[in-house]
Amino acid sequence: MQYRQLGKTELQVSTICLGTMTFGEQNTEAEGHAQMDYALEQGINFFDTAEMYSVPSRKETQGSTERIIGTWFKKTGNRDKIILASKVTGPFGLYQLDRGPFDFSKEQINAALEGSLQRLQTDYIDLYQLHWPERKMNMFGKRGFAYDPNDPWVDNFKEVLHALDELVKAGKIRHVGLSNEVPWGLMRFLQESERHNLTRVVSIQNPYNLLNRLFEVGLAEMAIREKVGLLAYSPLGFGRLSGKFNRPGEDLSKARINLFKQYTRYNSPQCLEAVEKYLQIAEKYGLNPTHLALSFVNSRPFLTSNIIGATTMEQLKENIDSIEVNLSEEVLREIDAVHAAIPDPAP
C-alpha cells in the first residue's frame, strides 16, 4: 500500500480508502466486517462513512453503516489502527434523518456528531466533513450555476468553522474536511480559518473519475498549492468503468446502477460512448478496465486518497489491487485524447 499526507496534518492515509456506504443496504454486518478485516490486512488505514449512510438513504437504514463500523471496532479493538472519516448531512430534500433542521448551525453539528460517535462506538472522529454546502450551487450532476436571489442562505463560513473548532479543541474531532464543494466555497473556508485562527480544512471529497474530471478545473491547483487534497469518490462511475456492463452474460441484478434508478449521472449516451473508448484502451494494452480507471485516479498529483467501494470480496480485492498498477505515458495520452473528444460526460 502507498500512503499520502492528509493536508497539513501529521496523518499519513492510505492512497486507497475503504468506502462503506453499502454497509447496511447491499452488505450485511458480517460482510462489512469481512471487508474491513481484509482492507486492514492489505494496509488500508483510512475508512470513510457518513451519518446518512447507507445509500440510498432511508429512514429505516440511516446510520446503519456507522453502526456496523462501530460493532467492528468493538469486536476487533482496531479503532487505533484506523483513520476514520465521517460527515454531517447538510440541507437536501431527499434524506430523512432522526434530527433536523438540516443546517450547519452549532446545535445541528453537535447533534449530528454525538449521534455518529454513539453509533461508531468511539469518542473521536479523525476527519469530520461537511457532506455538501448549505447554499444552493451546482452539485450532483448540475453542470451550470443557476443563481437564486431568494436563497435564504447567508455567509456563515466563520460561524461554521467556530463550531467545528470547538469540537477539535474538545478532542471529539481531529480535523475538518469538505465534500461536494467548489473553488469559491473552499477559498472562503481557507480565508476564514486564516483570518480568525480557526481549524483549517485539510481535504475535499468530490466525485472524480474518467467520466468526470471537473475537479481539474479550478480545484486541482487549489488542492496542490493549498494542501487540501482530493478524496475522490465514485472513481469507477457507479461501476460503469469496470466494463462489466458491456459484457454479455454478467449477472448485474445487484449492481447499484440497476438497483437504484434514481442515480442517472452515468447513464447518458455520451457516458456509454466514452466508457466504450476507455474499455478499448484497456483491451489494447492488456489492462483490467477497473485497474485502468482506478490507477488513473491514483496517479493524480492532487489526490490524497481514492475512495473505493464494493459489494463483494472479489470486487474489493480487484479494486485494492489497482495500487500495484502504473499507467504508461502512452496509455495516459490515449486517455486524454478520449477526454478531449468527450469531456466530462457525467458532471
Side-chain angles (χ1 to χ4, degrees):
M1 185 51 59
Q2 301 168 14
Y3 301 88
R4 302 185 186 186
Q5 185 178 3
L6 179 65
K8 292 185 175 181
T9 78
E10 77 288 358
L11 298 178
Q12 295 288 322
V13 297
S14 48
T15 301
I16 301 292
C17 172
L18 180 65
T20 61
M21 71 179 187
T22 60
F23 298 0
E25 178 67 47
Q26 291 174 270
N27 288 111
T28 65
E29 179 180 54
E31 290 169 340
H33 285 193
Q35 285 198 26
M36 289 183 280
D37 286 339
Y38 183 78
L40 185 60
E41 290 169 4
Q42 299 305 305
I44 291 177
N45 69 349
F46 194 22
F47 292 178
D48 179 73
T49 186
E51 67 163 337
M52 57 160 271
Y53 290 171
S54 55
V55 169
S57 182
R58 297 184 290 116
K59 192 171 184 179
E60 297 80 7
T61 57
Q62 182 267 319
S64 60
T65 299
E66 288 185 328
R67 280 189 286 271
I68 289 172
I69 296 173
T71 57
W72 184 77
F73 284 152
K74 183 177 181 180
K75 180 180 76 171
T76 64
N78 283 334
R79 175 66 187 94
D80 62 341
K81 297 179 181 178
I82 300 301
I83 298 170
L84 177 65
S86 193
K87 311 178 195 74
V88 50
T89 304
F92 200 61
L94 296 179
Y95 302 106
Q96 297 179 341
L97 278 70
D98 291 332
R99 64 170 185 85
F102 298 115
D103 57 36
F104 294 143
S105 64
K106 177 179 178 179
E107 293 74 20
Q108 287 303 311
I109 290 174
N110 288 348
L113 178 62
E114 290 303 323
S116 289
L117 292 174
Q118 183 178 13
R119 289 187 292 270
L120 289 162
Q121 300 194 51
T122 184
D123 55 5
Y124 71 99
I125 290 174
D126 298 283
L127 177 64
Y128 201 50
Q129 303 157 101
L130 305 179
H131 210 151
W132 50 73
E134 289 179 286
R135 65 191 190 279
K136 294 180 180 179
M137 40 80 76
N138 50 324
M139 62 178 178
F140 300 145
K142 293 183 180 179
R143 199 180 287 272
F145 174 61
Y147 174 62
D148 181 1
N150 297 314
D151 184 357
W153 177 83
V154 295
D155 187 330
N156 63 344
F157 291 96
K158 177 182 174 183
E159 289 75 15
V160 173
L161 281 175
H162 264 296
L164 294 168
D165 192 68
E166 288 181 3
L167 294 171
V168 171
K169 291 174 179 175
K172 292 187 176 183
I173 61 177
R174 297 177 69 186
H175 303 289
V176 171
L178 304 176
S179 186
N180 298 296
E181 189 52 275
V182 294
W184 184 79
L186 174 55
M187 177 195 71
R188 290 289 293 114
F189 274 110
L190 293 176
Q191 283 178 333
E192 293 301 324
S193 64
E194 184 173 351
R195 287 172 181 170
H196 303 285
N197 194 29
L198 297 169
T199 188
R200 191 176 192 274
V201 169
V202 301
S203 61
I204 177 170
Q205 183 175 150
N206 277 27
Y208 185 78
N209 54 59
L210 289 173
L211 303 175
N212 181 345
R213 294 172 58 176
L214 290 172
F215 190 88
E216 296 175 20
V217 183
L219 278 168
E221 185 177 10
M222 290 188 71
I224 293 170
R225 299 194 187 282
E226 298 295 335
K227 297 189 183 302
V228 181
L230 170 66
L231 308 181
Y233 77 78
S234 291
L236 287 174
F238 246 61
R240 279 282 180 212
L241 291 162
S242 71
K244 295 174 182 176
F245 296 92
N246 298 63
R247 298 172 182 168
E250 290 272 0
D251 180 10
L252 300 174
S253 59
K254 296 182 179 179
R256 277 178 284 177
I257 206 165
N258 288 328
L259 284 176
F260 312 124
K261 301 296 186 182
Q262 65 269 43
Y263 299 112
T264 60
R265 184 185 298 187
Y266 299 102
N267 290 345
S268 71
Q270 294 86 355
C271 275
L272 300 182
E273 181 183 0
V275 167
E276 182 56 38
K277 291 183 180 297
Y278 290 126
L279 295 181
Q280 290 171 9
I281 295 173
E283 183 177 359
K284 177 179 177 179
Y285 290 94
L287 292 165
N288 178 312
T290 293
H291 291 171
L292 174 78
L294 294 179
S295 297
F296 175 79
V297 176
N298 295 344
S299 71
R300 301 299 88 186
F302 47 81
L303 180 86
T304 292
S305 194
N306 186 357
I307 305 174
I308 57 100
T311 54
T312 69
M313 288 299 296
E314 180 183 7
Q315 291 171 347
L316 182 65
K317 292 175 182 179
E318 181 181 56
N319 291 351
I320 294 174
D321 286 347
S322 70
I323 198 66
E324 304 298 332
V325 178
N326 294 308
L327 301 181
S328 68
E329 290 299 320
E330 291 80 5
V331 170
L332 292 172
R333 279 196 294 269
E334 294 204 24
I335 286 174
D336 281 342
V338 175
H339 178 61
I342 314 173
D344 304 310

Coordinates of all heavy atoms in Angstrom, one line a residue, residues 150-219:
N150 N -33.4 34.3 -4.1 CA -34.2 34.0 -2.9 C -33.6 32.9 -2.0 O -34.3 32.5 -1.1 CB -35.6 33.6 -3.4 CG -36.3 34.7 -4.2 OD1 -36.3 35.9 -3.8 ND2 -36.9 34.4 -5.3
D151 N -32.4 32.5 -2.3 CA -31.8 31.5 -1.5 C -31.6 32.1 -0.1 O -31.0 33.2 0.1 CB -30.4 31.2 -2.1 CG -29.7 30.1 -1.3 OD1 -30.2 29.6 -0.2 OD2 -28.6 29.7 -1.7
P152 N -32.2 31.5 1.0 CA -32.1 32.1 2.3 C -30.8 32.0 3.0 O -30.6 32.6 4.0 CB -33.2 31.3 3.1 CG -33.2 30.0 2.4 CD -33.0 30.3 0.9
W153 N -29.9 31.3 2.4 CA -28.5 31.1 3.0 C -27.8 32.4 3.1 O -27.9 33.3 2.2 CB -27.7 30.2 2.1 CG -26.3 30.0 2.6 CD1 -25.9 29.1 3.6 CD2 -25.1 30.7 2.2 NE1 -24.5 29.2 3.8 CE2 -24.0 30.2 2.9 CE3 -24.9 31.6 1.2 CZ2 -22.7 30.6 2.7 CZ3 -23.6 32.1 1.0 CH2 -22.5 31.6 1.8
V154 N -27.1 32.6 4.2 CA -26.2 33.8 4.4 C -24.8 33.3 4.7 O -24.6 32.1 5.1 CB -26.7 34.6 5.7 CG1 -28.1 35.2 5.4 CG2 -26.7 33.8 6.9
D155 N -23.9 34.1 4.4 CA -22.4 33.8 4.5 C -22.1 33.5 6.0 O -22.0 34.4 6.8 CB -21.6 34.9 4.0 CG -20.1 34.5 3.9 OD1 -19.7 33.7 4.7 OD2 -19.4 35.1 3.0
N156 N -22.0 32.2 6.3 CA -21.8 31.8 7.7 C -20.5 30.9 7.9 O -20.4 30.1 8.8 CB -23.0 31.1 8.3 CG -23.2 29.8 7.5 OD1 -22.7 29.5 6.5 ND2 -24.0 28.9 8.1
F157 N -19.5 31.1 6.9 CA -18.3 30.3 7.0 C -17.6 30.4 8.3 O -17.2 29.4 8.9 CB -17.4 30.7 5.9 CG -17.9 30.3 4.5 CD1 -18.5 31.2 3.7 CD2 -17.7 29.0 4.0 CE1 -19.0 30.9 2.5 CE2 -18.1 28.7 2.7 CZ -18.8 29.6 2.0
K158 N -17.5 31.6 8.9 CA -16.9 31.8 10.1 C -17.6 31.1 11.3 O -16.9 30.4 12.1 CB -16.8 33.3 10.4 CG -16.2 33.7 11.8 CD -16.2 35.2 12.0 CE -15.7 35.5 13.4 NZ -15.8 37.0 13.7
E159 N -18.9 31.2 11.3 CA -19.7 30.5 12.4 C -19.5 29.0 12.3 O -19.4 28.3 13.3 CB -21.1 30.9 12.3 CG -21.4 32.4 12.6 CD -21.0 33.4 11.6 OE1 -20.7 33.0 10.4 OE2 -20.9 34.6 11.9
V160 N -19.6 28.5 11.1 CA -19.4 27.0 10.9 C -18.0 26.6 11.4 O -17.9 25.6 12.2 CB -19.6 26.6 9.5 CG1 -19.3 25.1 9.3 CG2 -21.1 26.9 9.1
L161 N -17.0 27.3 11.0 CA -15.7 27.0 11.5 C -15.5 27.1 13.0 O -14.8 26.3 13.6 CB -14.6 27.8 10.8 CG -14.3 27.4 9.3 CD1 -13.3 28.4 8.7 CD2 -13.6 26.0 9.3
H162 N -16.1 28.1 13.6 CA -16.1 28.2 15.0 C -16.7 27.0 15.7 O -16.1 26.5 16.7 CB -16.9 29.5 15.5 CG -16.0 30.7 15.7 ND1 -15.0 30.8 16.7 CD2 -16.0 31.9 15.0 CE1 -14.5 32.0 16.6 NE2 -15.0 32.7 15.6
A163 N -17.8 26.5 15.2 CA -18.4 25.3 15.8 C -17.5 24.1 15.7 O -17.4 23.3 16.6 CB -19.8 25.1 15.1
L164 N -16.9 24.0 14.5 CA -16.0 22.8 14.3 C -14.7 23.0 15.1 O -14.2 22.0 15.7 CB -15.7 22.7 12.8 CG -16.9 22.3 11.9 CD1 -16.5 22.5 10.5 CD2 -17.3 20.9 12.2
D165 N -14.2 24.2 15.2 CA -13.0 24.5 16.0 C -13.2 24.1 17.5 O -12.3 23.5 18.1 CB -12.6 25.9 15.9 CG -11.3 26.2 16.4 OD1 -10.3 25.8 15.8 OD2 -11.1 26.9 17.4
E166 N -14.4 24.4 18.0 CA -14.7 24.0 19.4 C -14.6 22.5 19.6 O -14.1 22.0 20.6 CB -16.0 24.5 19.8 CG -16.1 26.0 20.0 CD -17.5 26.5 20.4 OE1 -18.3 25.7 20.6 OE2 -17.6 27.7 20.6
L167 N -15.1 21.7 18.6 CA -15.1 20.3 18.6 C -13.7 19.7 18.5 O -13.3 18.7 19.1 CB -16.0 19.7 17.6 CG -17.5 20.0 17.7 CD1 -18.3 19.6 16.5 CD2 -18.0 19.3 19.0
V168 N -12.8 20.4 17.7 CA -11.4 20.0 17.7 C -10.7 20.2 19.0 O -10.0 19.3 19.5 CB -10.7 20.8 16.6 CG1 -9.2 20.6 16.6 CG2 -11.2 20.4 15.2
K169 N -11.0 21.4 19.6 CA -10.4 21.7 20.9 C -10.9 20.7 22.0 O -10.2 20.4 23.0 CB -10.6 23.1 21.3 CG -9.9 24.1 20.4 CD -10.2 25.5 20.7 CE -9.4 26.5 19.8 NZ -9.8 27.9 20.0
A170 N -12.1 20.3 21.9 CA -12.7 19.3 22.8 C -12.2 17.9 22.6 O -12.5 17.0 23.4 CB -14.2 19.4 22.8
G171 N -11.5 17.6 21.5 CA -11.0 16.3 21.2 C -12.0 15.4 20.6 O -11.7 14.2 20.4
K172 N -13.1 15.9 20.2 CA -14.1 15.0 19.6 C -13.9 14.8 18.1 O -14.3 13.8 17.5 CB -15.5 15.6 19.8 CG -15.9 15.6 21.3 CD -17.4 16.0 21.5 CE -17.8 15.8 22.9 NZ -19.2 16.2 23.1
I173 N -13.3 15.7 17.4 CA -12.8 15.5 16.1 C -11.4 16.0 16.0 O -11.0 16.9 16.8 CB -13.7 16.3 15.0 CG1 -13.7 17.8 15.2 CG2 -15.1 15.7 15.0 CD1 -14.5 18.6 14.2
R174 N -10.6 15.5 15.0 CA -9.2 15.9 14.9 C -9.0 16.9 13.8 O -8.2 17.9 13.9 CB -8.3 14.7 14.7 CG -8.3 13.7 15.9 CD -7.5 12.5 15.6 NE -6.1 12.8 15.5 CZ -5.1 11.9 15.2 NH1 -5.5 10.7 14.8 NH2 -3.8 12.3 15.1
H175 N -9.7 16.7 12.7 CA -9.5 17.6 11.5 C -10.9 17.7 10.8 O -11.8 17.0 11.0 CB -8.5 17.0 10.6 CG -7.2 16.8 11.2 ND1 -6.3 17.8 11.6 CD2 -6.5 15.6 11.6 CE1 -5.2 17.3 12.2 NE2 -5.3 16.0 12.2
V176 N -10.9 18.7 9.9 CA -12.1 19.1 9.2 C -11.9 19.0 7.7 O -10.9 19.4 7.2 CB -12.5 20.5 9.6 CG1 -13.7 21.0 8.7 CG2 -12.9 20.6 11.1
G177 N -13.0 18.5 7.0 CA -12.9 18.4 5.6 C -14.2 18.9 4.9 O -15.3 19.0 5.6
L178 N -14.2 19.1 3.6 CA -15.4 19.5 2.9 C -15.7 18.3 1.9 O -15.0 17.4 1.7 CB -15.1 20.7 2.1 CG -14.7 22.0 2.9 CD1 -14.4 23.1 1.9 CD2 -15.7 22.4 3.9
S179 N -16.9 18.4 1.3 CA -17.4 17.5 0.3 C -18.3 18.1 -0.6 O -19.1 19.0 -0.2 CB -18.0 16.3 1.0 OG -18.3 15.2 0.1
N180 N -18.3 17.7 -1.9 CA -19.1 18.3 -2.9 C -19.1 19.8 -3.0 O -20.1 20.5 -3.1 CB -20.6 17.8 -2.7 CG -20.7 16.3 -2.8 OD1 -20.5 15.8 -3.9 ND2 -21.0 15.7 -1.7
E181 N -17.9 20.3 -2.8 CA -17.6 21.8 -2.7 C -17.0 22.3 -4.0 O -16.5 21.5 -4.8 CB -16.8 22.1 -1.5 CG -16.6 23.6 -1.1 CD -17.9 24.3 -1.0 OE1 -18.4 24.8 -2.0 OE2 -18.4 24.5 0.1
V182 N -17.1 23.6 -4.3 CA -16.5 24.2 -5.4 C -15.4 25.2 -5.0 O -15.3 25.5 -3.8 CB -17.6 25.0 -6.2 CG1 -18.6 24.0 -6.8 CG2 -18.3 26.0 -5.4
P183 N -14.6 25.8 -5.9 CA -13.5 26.6 -5.5 C -13.9 27.8 -4.6 O -13.1 28.1 -3.7 CB -12.9 27.1 -6.9 CG -13.2 26.0 -7.8 CD -14.6 25.5 -7.4
W184 N -15.0 28.5 -4.9 CA -15.4 29.6 -4.1 C -15.6 29.2 -2.6 O -15.1 29.9 -1.7 CB -16.6 30.3 -4.6 CG -17.0 31.5 -3.8 CD1 -16.4 32.8 -4.0 CD2 -17.9 31.7 -2.8 NE1 -17.0 33.7 -3.1 CE2 -17.9 33.0 -2.3 CE3 -18.9 30.8 -2.2 CZ2 -18.7 33.5 -1.3 CZ3 -19.7 31.2 -1.2 CH2 -19.6 32.6 -0.8
G185 N -16.3 28.1 -2.4 CA -16.5 27.6 -1.0 C -15.2 27.2 -0.3 O -15.0 27.6 0.9
L186 N -14.3 26.5 -1.0 CA -13.1 26.1 -0.4 C -12.3 27.4 -0.1 O -11.7 27.5 1.0 CB -12.3 25.2 -1.3 CG -10.9 24.9 -0.9 CD1 -10.8 24.2 0.5 CD2 -10.2 24.0 -2.0
M187 N -12.2 28.4 -1.0 CA -11.5 29.6 -0.7 C -12.0 30.3 0.5 O -11.2 30.8 1.3 CB -11.6 30.5 -2.0 CG -11.0 31.9 -1.8 SD -11.5 33.1 -3.0 CE -13.2 33.4 -2.5
R188 N -13.3 30.4 0.7 CA -13.9 31.1 1.8 C -13.6 30.4 3.1 O -13.2 31.1 4.1 CB -15.4 31.2 1.6 CG -15.9 32.2 0.5 CD -15.6 33.6 0.9 NE -16.4 34.1 2.0 CZ -16.0 34.4 3.2 NH1 -14.7 34.4 3.5 NH2 -16.9 34.7 4.1
F189 N -13.6 29.1 3.1 CA -13.2 28.4 4.4 C -11.8 28.6 4.7 O -11.4 28.9 5.9 CB -13.5 26.9 4.2 CG -14.9 26.5 4.6 CD1 -15.8 26.1 3.6 CD2 -15.4 26.5 5.9 CE1 -17.1 25.7 3.9 CE2 -16.7 26.2 6.2 CZ -17.5 25.8 5.2
L190 N -10.9 28.6 3.7 CA -9.5 28.9 4.0 C -9.3 30.3 4.5 O -8.4 30.5 5.4 CB -8.7 28.6 2.7 CG -8.6 27.1 2.3 CD1 -7.9 26.9 1.0 CD2 -8.0 26.2 3.4
Q191 N -10.0 31.2 3.9 CA -9.8 32.6 4.3 C -10.2 32.8 5.7 O -9.5 33.5 6.5 CB -10.7 33.5 3.4 CG -10.2 33.8 2.0 CD -11.2 34.7 1.2 OE1 -12.4 34.6 1.5 NE2 -10.7 35.4 0.3
E192 N -11.4 32.3 6.1 CA -11.9 32.5 7.5 C -11.0 31.8 8.5 O -10.8 32.3 9.6 CB -13.3 32.0 7.6 CG -14.3 32.8 6.8 CD -14.3 34.3 7.2 OE1 -14.2 34.6 8.4 OE2 -14.5 35.1 6.3
S193 N -10.5 30.6 8.2 CA -9.6 29.9 9.1 C -8.3 30.7 9.4 O -7.8 30.8 10.5 CB -9.3 28.5 8.6 OG -8.5 28.6 7.4
E194 N -7.8 31.4 8.3 CA -6.6 32.1 8.4 C -6.8 33.4 9.2 O -6.0 33.8 10.1 CB -6.0 32.4 7.0 CG -4.7 33.2 7.1 CD -4.0 33.3 5.7 OE1 -4.5 32.6 4.8 OE2 -3.0 34.0 5.6
R195 N -7.9 34.1 8.9 CA -8.2 35.4 9.5 C -8.5 35.3 11.0 O -8.1 36.1 11.8 CB -9.5 36.0 8.8 CG -9.3 36.6 7.4 CD -10.6 37.0 6.8 NE -10.4 37.5 5.5 CZ -11.4 37.7 4.6 NH1 -12.7 37.5 5.0 NH2 -11.2 38.2 3.4
H196 N -9.1 34.2 11.4 CA -9.6 34.0 12.8 C -8.9 32.9 13.5 O -9.3 32.6 14.6 CB -11.1 33.8 12.8 CG -11.8 34.9 12.1 ND1 -12.0 36.2 12.7 CD2 -12.4 35.0 10.9 CE1 -12.7 36.9 11.8 NE2 -13.0 36.2 10.7
N197 N -7.8 32.4 12.9 CA -7.0 31.3 13.6 C -7.9 30.2 14.0 O -7.8 29.7 15.2 CB -6.3 31.9 14.8 CG -5.2 31.0 15.3 OD1 -4.6 30.2 14.6 ND2 -4.9 31.0 16.6
L198 N -8.7 29.7 13.1 CA -9.6 28.6 13.3 C -9.1 27.3 12.6 O -8.2 27.4 11.7 CB -11.0 28.9 12.8 CG -11.7 30.1 13.5 CD1 -12.9 30.5 12.8 CD2 -12.0 29.7 15.0
T199 N -9.6 26.2 13.0 CA -9.2 24.9 12.4 C -9.3 25.0 10.9 O -10.2 25.6 10.3 CB -10.1 23.8 12.9 OG1 -9.5 22.5 12.4 CG2 -11.5 23.9 12.4
R200 N -8.3 24.4 10.2 CA -8.1 24.6 8.7 C -8.7 23.3 8.0 O -8.4 22.2 8.4 CB -6.7 24.8 8.4 CG -6.4 25.2 7.0 CD -4.9 25.4 6.8 NE -4.6 26.1 5.5 CZ -4.4 25.5 4.4 NH1 -4.5 24.2 4.3 NH2 -4.1 26.2 3.3
V201 N -9.3 23.5 6.9 CA -9.8 22.4 6.1 C -8.6 21.7 5.5 O -7.6 22.3 5.0 CB -10.7 22.9 4.9 CG1 -10.9 21.9 3.9 CG2 -12.0 23.5 5.4
V202 N -8.6 20.3 5.6 CA -7.5 19.5 5.2 C -7.8 18.7 4.0 O -6.8 18.1 3.4 CB -7.0 18.6 6.3 CG1 -6.6 19.4 7.6 CG2 -8.1 17.5 6.7
S203 N -9.0 18.6 3.5 CA -9.4 17.7 2.4 C -10.7 18.1 1.8 O -11.5 18.9 2.4 CB -9.5 16.2 2.9 OG -10.5 16.1 3.8
I204 N -10.9 17.7 0.6 CA -12.2 17.9 -0.1 C -12.6 16.6 -0.8 O -11.8 16.1 -1.7 CB -12.1 19.1 -1.1 CG1 -13.4 19.3 -1.8 CG2 -10.9 19.0 -2.0 CD1 -13.4 20.6 -2.6
Q205 N -13.8 16.1 -0.5 CA -14.2 14.9 -1.1 C -15.3 15.2 -2.2 O -16.4 15.6 -1.9 CB -14.9 14.0 0.0 CG -15.3 12.7 -0.6 CD -15.9 11.7 0.5 OE1 -16.7 10.9 0.2 NE2 -15.4 11.8 1.7
N206 N -14.8 15.0 -3.4 CA -15.7 15.3 -4.6 C -15.6 14.1 -5.6 O -14.7 13.3 -5.5 CB -15.1 16.5 -5.3 CG -15.6 17.8 -4.7 OD1 -16.0 17.9 -3.5 ND2 -15.7 18.9 -5.5
P207 N -16.6 14.0 -6.5 CA -16.6 13.0 -7.5 C -15.4 13.2 -8.4 O -15.1 14.3 -8.8 CB -17.9 13.1 -8.2 CG -18.3 14.5 -8.1 CD -17.8 14.9 -6.7
Y208 N -14.7 12.1 -8.8 CA -13.6 12.2 -9.8 C -13.4 10.9 -10.4 O -13.1 9.9 -9.7 CB -12.3 12.7 -9.1 CG -11.2 12.9 -10.1 CD1 -11.2 14.1 -10.9 CD2 -10.2 12.0 -10.3 CE1 -10.2 14.3 -11.9 CE2 -9.2 12.2 -11.2 CZ -9.2 13.3 -12.0 OH -8.2 13.5 -13.0
N209 N -13.4 10.8 -11.7 CA -13.2 9.6 -12.4 C -13.0 9.9 -13.9 O -13.1 11.1 -14.3 CB -14.4 8.6 -12.3 CG -15.7 9.2 -12.6 OD1 -16.0 9.7 -13.7 ND2 -16.6 9.2 -11.6
L210 N -12.8 8.9 -14.8 CA -12.6 9.2 -16.2 C -13.8 9.8 -16.9 O -13.6 10.4 -17.9 CB -12.3 7.9 -16.9 CG -10.9 7.3 -16.6 CD1 -10.8 5.9 -17.2 CD2 -9.8 8.2 -17.0
L211 N -15.0 9.8 -16.3 CA -16.2 10.4 -16.8 C -16.5 11.7 -16.2 O -17.4 12.4 -16.7 CB -17.4 9.4 -16.7 CG -17.2 8.0 -17.2 CD1 -18.4 7.1 -16.9 CD2 -17.0 8.1 -18.8
N212 N -15.8 12.1 -15.2 CA -16.0 13.4 -14.5 C -14.7 13.9 -14.0 O -14.2 13.5 -12.9 CB -17.0 13.2 -13.4 CG -17.3 14.5 -12.7 OD1 -16.6 15.5 -12.8 ND2 -18.4 14.6 -11.9
R213 N -14.0 14.7 -14.8 CA -12.7 15.3 -14.4 C -12.9 16.8 -14.1 O -11.9 17.5 -14.1 CB -11.7 15.0 -15.4 CG -11.4 13.6 -15.6 CD -10.5 13.3 -16.8 NE -9.2 14.0 -16.8 CZ -8.2 13.8 -17.7 NH1 -8.4 13.0 -18.7 NH2 -7.1 14.5 -17.6
L214 N -14.1 17.2 -13.7 CA -14.3 18.6 -13.4 C -13.5 19.2 -12.3 O -13.3 20.4 -12.2 CB -15.8 18.9 -13.2 CG -16.7 18.7 -14.4 CD1 -18.2 18.8 -14.0 CD2 -16.4 19.8 -15.5
F215 N -13.0 18.3 -11.4 CA -12.2 18.7 -10.3 C -10.9 19.4 -10.8 O -10.4 20.3 -10.1 CB -11.8 17.5 -9.4 CG -11.1 17.9 -8.1 CD1 -11.9 18.2 -7.0 CD2 -9.7 18.0 -8.0 CE1 -11.3 18.5 -5.8 CE2 -9.1 18.4 -6.8 CZ -9.9 18.6 -5.7
E216 N -10.5 19.0 -12.0 CA -9.3 19.6 -12.5 C -9.5 21.1 -12.9 O -8.5 21.8 -13.1 CB -8.9 18.8 -13.8 CG -8.5 17.4 -13.5 CD -8.2 16.6 -14.7 OE1 -7.9 17.2 -15.7 OE2 -8.3 15.3 -14.6
V217 N -10.7 21.5 -13.0 CA -11.0 22.9 -13.4 C -11.2 23.7 -12.1 O -12.2 23.7 -11.5 CB -12.2 23.0 -14.3 CG1 -12.5 24.5 -14.7 CG2 -12.1 22.1 -15.5
G218 N -10.1 24.4 -11.7 CA -10.2 25.3 -10.5 C -9.8 24.7 -9.2 O -9.0 25.2 -8.5
L219 N -10.2 23.4 -8.9 CA -10.0 22.8 -7.6 C -8.6 22.1 -7.6 O -8.0 22.0 -6.5 CB -11.1 21.9 -7.3 CG -12.3 22.5 -6.6 CD1 -13.5 21.5 -6.6 CD2 -12.0 23.1 -5.3

